[in-house]
Amino acid sequence: MSMNRRQFSQAVAALAATSATPLLWAAQAIKIGYVSPQTGPLAPFGEADKWVIDQMKAAFKDGIVVGGTRHAVEIVLKDSQSNPNRAGEVANDLILKEKVALMLTAGTPETANPVSDACELNEVPCVSSVVPWQPWFFGRNGDPRQGFDWTYHLFWGLEDVIAAYTNGWKGLQTNKKVGGLFPNDGDGNAWGDKKLGFPKPLADMGLSLTDPGRFQSGTQDFSAQIAAFKRDNVEIVTGVVIPPDAKTFLTQARQQGFKPKAVTLGKALLFPSALEALGDLGLGLSTEVWWSPSHPFTSSLTRQSAQALADSYEAGTRKQWTQPIGFAHALFEVAANALARSKSLKAEDVRNAVASTSIDSIVGPVKWGGPGPMKNVSRTPLVLGQWRKGHQRKVELVIVNNGAATNIPAGGAMQLL
């Protein structure tokens, strides 16, 4: 039986169409941009990022299929240097020079907000984290009626951190007088805001707040704040400060004879390295816990439990686990899931896939469009932790109140300093 050239070509085409041959690799790699503070005073927020990205390179070794074509994945990490202007510059480089298909960013408003703004302006899909949603949304002049078109966020809000802190304080014998340390930055202005932040909820609960006013991060003198706290007989100190400022304040408070019964601070007390730098000043201090090895969640990408992810980090780096590991990992979970569902690599298709995300991640459920405070915000759970002397480590973060997220197990009760 003979076959002419045309018939042969048609037969080969038909065979190719019906056979289970592997998808062809595209010449174009998918570029994912990632901006975080690798250096500067906020560097502890980005400490785990390079390790997480190495893990993602292994997870993406077979590429991602988008619209029927398999693409290699390239992750481009940029350092914001803990500087908002620098964060905006490197975001624009990733957008305009690297031509990233999707941007990821994390690590306080000083990084995430300018990166998100650059993406919104240039119509590039972006997923951000590690900023309470109010400083991210309202700090960028977001309109609750409209939201944003290109930028999406996953993290907890001020309502969650206020609940976590006050739930812990309720079990302590204090005079209910609170002193606030709120710097003049994105977090401090939001936490100290009379409507959005701590003042109104604390007043509603019968707690009085002494707020001595805004100060510049990196200040070397907290005498005015300490004097105001001593004058008002403050027994609880709260706020949101960078690690060097926490050390300065706590050292000067001891020198000036100010001895609060509880110190619960955001940002500064999140990391083992910061607590070790405080020495005996750090024991008994408390802070919010956004992620830990005991969180009952599993990665949708690698199938690791929170405990397994933390163990892998410690084995690979010889460092103690740190909270941002979970959220850096979760950002890539969202990226992998959205890209795999996207119709193409066109910006609008990727954005639409991000917006329709609904996954169970290493930090809990992630879903935009509701239920949630804004269409661009997916809230994650929050509990309270206290630093104790460790059995195998110098310090350990123990969950001491899970009233707002009872599925996350507590390891003890909050204690007075």
Side-chain angles (χ1 to χ4, degrees):
M1 184 178 180
S2 62
M3 193 182 279
N4 63 32
R5 180 175 295 176
R6 180 181 173 189
Q7 289 171 321
F8 178 77
S9 299
Q10 289 173 337
V12 169
L15 179 64
T18 57
S19 66
T21 53
L23 289 165
L24 294 176
W25 284 80
Q28 176 191 3
I30 299 171
K31 286 188 177 182
I32 300 173
Y34 195 100
V35 183
S36 65
Q38 298 294 300
T39 57
L42 301 175
F45 283 91
E47 180 183 358
D49 290 343
K50 289 180 180 177
W51 180 86
V52 171
I53 288 172
D54 282 343
Q55 189 189 41
M56 290 303 114
K57 289 177 180 177
F60 296 143
K61 68 181 188 304
D62 294 327
I64 295 178
V65 177
V66 180
T69 304
R70 190 180 299 277
H71 296 260
V73 178
E74 182 180 347
I75 300 166
V76 187
L77 173 65
K78 294 287 187 179
D79 179 12
S80 71
Q81 300 176 2
S82 302
N83 183 301
N85 293 330
R86 176 67 179 174
E89 289 172 8
V90 297
N92 281 319
D93 285 346
L94 288 169
I95 294 166
L96 302 174
K97 295 179 181 178
E98 298 286 350
K99 307 292 186 185
V100 296
L102 177 61
M103 186 81 78
L104 307 177
T105 183
T108 82
E110 282 63 50
T111 291
N113 285 19
V115 173
S116 297
D117 285 342
C119 290
E120 192 74 22
L121 181 65
N122 288 283
E123 299 186 344
V124 170
C126 175
V127 185
S128 55
S129 189
V130 190
V131 183
W133 71 261
Q134 289 93 338
W136 176 83
F137 189 87
F138 294 111
R140 299 173 54 222
N141 299 314
D143 183 343
R145 295 168 297 180
Q146 297 179 348
F148 296 108
D149 292 327
W150 294 91
T151 49
Y152 291 80
H153 192 69
L154 62 123
F155 211 51
W156 42 266
L158 295 182
E159 67 275 35
D160 301 305
V161 76
I162 292 167
Y165 284 13
T166 55
N167 283 343
W169 300 339
K170 287 173 186 175
L172 303 177
Q173 291 294 321
T174 72
N175 62 8
K176 298 186 177 183
K177 294 185 177 181
V178 182
L181 293 173
F182 304 123
N184 184 25
D185 63 14
D187 276 328
N189 289 325
W191 288 47
D193 186 274
K194 291 182 178 179
K195 293 182 179 179
L196 294 175
F198 275 68
K200 187 178 184 304
L202 294 192
D204 291 343
M205 295 178 198
L207 298 163
S208 65
L209 176 67
T210 296
D211 181 357
R214 306 295 160 263
F215 58 90
Q216 294 304 312
S217 293
T219 185
Q220 297 301 305
D221 187 3
F222 282 96
S223 297
Q225 288 84 358
I226 293 167
F229 296 164
K230 290 172 71 175
R231 179 197 68 214
D232 292 347
N233 196 24
V234 162
E235 291 189 345
I236 301 170
V237 173
T238 193
V240 55
V241 298
I242 59 175
D245 287 358
K247 185 172 185 179
T248 302
F249 170 80
L250 291 165
T251 301
Q252 293 178 0
R254 175 176 286 187
Q255 292 169 347
Q256 297 175 33
F258 174 54
K259 298 180 179 179
K261 292 184 176 181
V263 174
T264 309
L265 295 174
K267 192 180 287 188
L269 308 181
L270 297 169
F271 313 108
S273 57
L275 267 290
E276 290 178 16
L278 288 172
D280 64 345
L281 284 172
L283 294 177
L285 303 181
S286 45
T287 192
E288 69 273 13
V289 181
W290 0 302
W291 183 82
S292 77
S294 59
H295 276 51
F297 305 126
T298 300
S299 167
S300 62
L301 184 59
T302 65
R303 309 313 306 169
Q304 290 168 292
S305 66
Q307 183 70 61
L309 182 62
D311 289 346
S312 180
Y313 175 80
E314 292 187 341
T317 65
R318 303 297 175 192
K319 294 180 179 179
Q320 192 169 344
W321 68 269
T322 182
Q323 295 196 47
I325 298 169
F327 280 84
H329 185 100
L331 286 174
F332 285 104
E333 287 186 72
V334 171
N337 180 271
L339 288 167
R341 289 183 293 103
S342 182
K343 295 177 181 178
S344 75
L345 286 178
K346 291 179 180 177
E348 189 171 340
D349 286 337
V350 176
R351 186 273 313 273
N352 292 344
V354 168
S356 61
T357 295
S358 179
I359 62 172
D360 290 323
S361 79
I362 199 78
V363 300
V366 177
K367 182 178 182 178
W368 286 286
M374 306 287 169
K375 73 170 188 176
N376 304 86
V377 174
S378 179
R379 277 173 60 198
T380 56
L382 193 67
V383 292
L384 182 68
Q386 188 170 34
W387 288 97
R388 308 267 174 84
K389 188 172 288 186
H391 300 294
Q392 298 177 332
R393 305 178 176 98
K394 292 181 180 179
V395 289
E396 289 182 347
L397 185 58
V398 177
I399 294 173
V400 292
N401 192 284
N402 63 351
T406 55
N407 60 324
I408 299 170
M414 190 172 181
Q415 301 170 357
L416 291 171
L417 286 176

